[in-house]
Amino acid sequence: VGLGDPTLPLGSGVLALDPSWVVCPDGLKAGQIRMGVCAASVNFADPLSVKGEYQVKMPVPFVPGSEASGCVLEVAPGVTAFSPGDRIVAFNQGGMYATECVVHESSAWKVPEGVDLAAAATIPVAYGTADLALRHRANLQPGQTVLILGASGGVGTAAVQISKVLGAQVIGVTQGAEKVAYLRSIGSDVVIDLDDCSKERPLHLLIKQHAPRGVHVVIDPVGGTLTGEALRTVAWGAQLVVIGFAAGGIPKIPANILLVKNTTVHGLYWGSYAQNRPKILRSSMDDILDWLARGALRPHVSHRYPLDQVPLAFETLLSRKAKGKVLIMPQLSSSASQDHRHMTSSKL
């Protein structure tokens, strides 16, 4: 019906429910899996897609949502790695905000026994992005110092936890006392509250108090003015990984600092690895799921909403109210929480 404000109530803007929607009216194609959705994870790309501002454009109408967990309902002939009843987590370019969805077997993974199925929906994009940023792009080593901007968000939470698994020291940046306490609870060695910053005490000086020799890796899903502040704290030979622009502004990176500090800047779009480096992506996901099964990673979900509360889920994410991840749970009833209700599929 068009593109627009993703936070308007269903039916009053561009988002609406479609109870008559059929996930695969012509049957499954080769390599496909039909799954019942337990939970779909909300990522910044979802409301941006509804607004028409995401770099990957989908034809309207479309069903948002790029990652979900659930149980296999049906597999196409020739699919042998999965069977009906398997608990899986999967990635897809849209279609996940629904009671059922179809994914390709190459983009699905079995959820380890003992792992909460709903929490598993948080894994592919956030933890996958953080892992590829830290290991594949930045080559993080034990004992190095990592500066994580937006550390209380989905990617930030994942980056904090994976950095600790890899033996690094973590400086997390967030805003507000509640998020500061949250970051300390998940293992960040140092937490800097943006509320403590001022003209006399800018962010880069607060960071240098804890890393006087500089930080070795910067994970930046925020952008805006924070990128420049972070660059002023890097050690010689540091790695900056640009993941997103949650602050809304695309920063201009001062090349003189890169030259003097021999700094490398990486761009990382996790979804493109599926087409360009699928083996690296699958290896990363295998490691993440192994860490998850062993309890080394603990996904945090601060908000859960039913399908008819998708606009509220978007508002929660965009207004920075979330700690960790926000989930859409199609089977959630209105009695489960003050924010939560139930429905069938959210469609643009």
Side-chain angles (χ1 to χ4, degrees), residues 284-302:
S284 168
M285 279 294 295
D286 288 343
D287 288 343
I288 292 168
L289 290 171
D290 179 62
W291 290 333
L292 185 65
R294 293 192 282 113
L297 302 179
R298 297 182 180 277
H300 182 82
V301 177
S302 63

Side-chain angles (χ1 to χ4, degrees), residues 9 12 50 52 55 57 61 92 110 118 125 127 144-145 150 190 194 200 205 261 263 273 292 299 314 318 346:
S12 65
V50 175
Q55 58 258 30
K57 309 295 184 184
N92 197 47
K110 291 183 179 179
V125 175
Y127 283 84
Q144 289 188 327
T145 299
V190 174
L194 289 173
E200 294 74 26
L205 290 185
K261 292 293 188 73
T263 302
Y273 270 73
L292 185 65
F314 286 161
L318 294 173
S346 187

Side-chain angles (χ1 to χ4, degrees), residues 212-333:
R213 296 185 178 181
V215 300
H216 303 97
V217 174
V218 178
I219 301 299
D220 183 7
V222 178
T225 60
L226 295 191
T227 304
E229 288 290 294
L231 271 174
R232 297 181 69 174
T233 72
V234 296
W236 190 96
Q239 313 285 319
L240 165 65
V241 187
V242 177
I243 292 171
F245 312 105
I250 299 176
K252 293 182 179 180
I253 295 177
N256 60 316
I257 294 180
L258 306 184
L259 184 152
V260 172
K261 292 293 188 73
N262 284 259
T263 302
T264 301
V265 178
H266 306 267
L268 177 63
Y269 170 39
W270 181 82
S272 66
Y273 270 73
Q275 292 78 40
N276 297 285
R277 296 290 188 274
K279 290 183 179 179
I280 292 175
L281 186 147
R282 288 208 70 86
S283 175
S284 168
M285 279 294 295
D286 288 343
D287 288 343
I288 292 168
L289 290 171
D290 179 62
W291 290 333
L292 185 65
R294 293 192 282 113
L297 302 179
R298 297 182 180 277
H300 182 82
V301 177
S302 63
H303 295 78
R304 302 170 189 246
Y305 298 100
L307 278 170
D308 60 354
Q309 292 290 325
V310 165
L312 185 55
F314 286 161
E315 192 277 332
T316 297
L317 187 69
L318 294 173
S319 62
R320 313 291 191 270
K321 296 176 183 176
K323 298 185 295 294
K325 294 292 291 182
V326 176
L327 294 183
I328 302 298
M329 302 187 67
Q331 306 306 323
L332 194 65
S333 67

Side-chain angles (χ1 to χ4, degrees), residues 59-340:
V60 177
F62 65 86
V63 177
S66 60
E67 61 182 343
S69 60
C71 292
V72 174
L73 300 176
E74 179 186 6
V75 300
V79 173
T80 58
F82 300 94
S83 302
D86 284 346
R87 303 185 334 138
I88 66 170
V89 61
F91 172 81
N92 197 47
Q93 288 290 353
M96 300 298 212
Y97 289 3
T99 53
E100 296 182 9
C101 64
V102 171
V103 300
H104 196 274
E105 62 177 330
S106 63
S107 299
W109 295 265
K110 291 183 179 179
V111 175
E113 290 298 324
V115 173
D116 179 75
L117 185 57
T122 69
I123 293 300
V125 175
Y127 283 84
T129 295
D131 185 51
L132 291 181
L134 291 165
R135 292 199 296 165
H136 183 61
R137 308 302 286 188
N139 191 29
L140 179 65
Q141 299 298 309
Q144 289 188 327
T145 299
V146 184
L147 173 65
I148 302 172
L149 304 178
S152 57
V155 173
T157 292
V160 169
Q161 295 183 354
I162 293 175
S163 294
K164 297 311 298 178
V165 169
L166 299 176
Q169 295 294 303
V170 174
I171 299 176
V173 178
T174 190
Q175 188 166 18
E178 187 177 350
K179 291 182 178 179
V180 167
Y182 165 69
L183 282 180
R184 287 176 177 151
S185 75
I186 65 171
S188 186
D189 299 287
V190 174
V191 183
I192 296 176
D193 188 347
L194 289 173
D195 286 340
D196 293 334
C197 296
S198 64
K199 185 176 180 179
E200 294 74 26
R201 302 178 70 220
L203 177 61
H204 71 269
L205 290 185
L206 298 184
I207 295 170
K208 286 181 178 180
Q209 289 179 4
H210 300 284
R213 296 185 178 181
V215 300
H216 303 97
V217 174
V218 178
I219 301 299
D220 183 7
V222 178
T225 60
L226 295 191
T227 304
E229 288 290 294
L231 271 174
R232 297 181 69 174
T233 72
V234 296
W236 190 96
Q239 313 285 319
L240 165 65
V241 187
V242 177
I243 292 171
F245 312 105
I250 299 176
K252 293 182 179 180
I253 295 177
N256 60 316
I257 294 180
L258 306 184
L259 184 152
V260 172
K261 292 293 188 73
N262 284 259
T263 302
T264 301
V265 178
H266 306 267
L268 177 63
Y269 170 39
W270 181 82
S272 66
Y273 270 73
Q275 292 78 40
N276 297 285
R277 296 290 188 274
K279 290 183 179 179
I280 292 175
L281 186 147
R282 288 208 70 86
S283 175
S284 168
M285 279 294 295
D286 288 343
D287 288 343
I288 292 168
L289 290 171
D290 179 62
W291 290 333
L292 185 65
R294 293 192 282 113
L297 302 179
R298 297 182 180 277
H300 182 82
V301 177
S302 63
H303 295 78
R304 302 170 189 246
Y305 298 100
L307 278 170
D308 60 354
Q309 292 290 325
V310 165
L312 185 55
F314 286 161
E315 192 277 332
T316 297
L317 187 69
L318 294 173
S319 62
R320 313 291 191 270
K321 296 176 183 176
K323 298 185 295 294
K325 294 292 291 182
V326 176
L327 294 183
I328 302 298
M329 302 187 67
Q331 306 306 323
L332 194 65
S333 67
S334 58
S335 61
S337 159
Q338 59 182 12
D339 292 324
H340 306 158

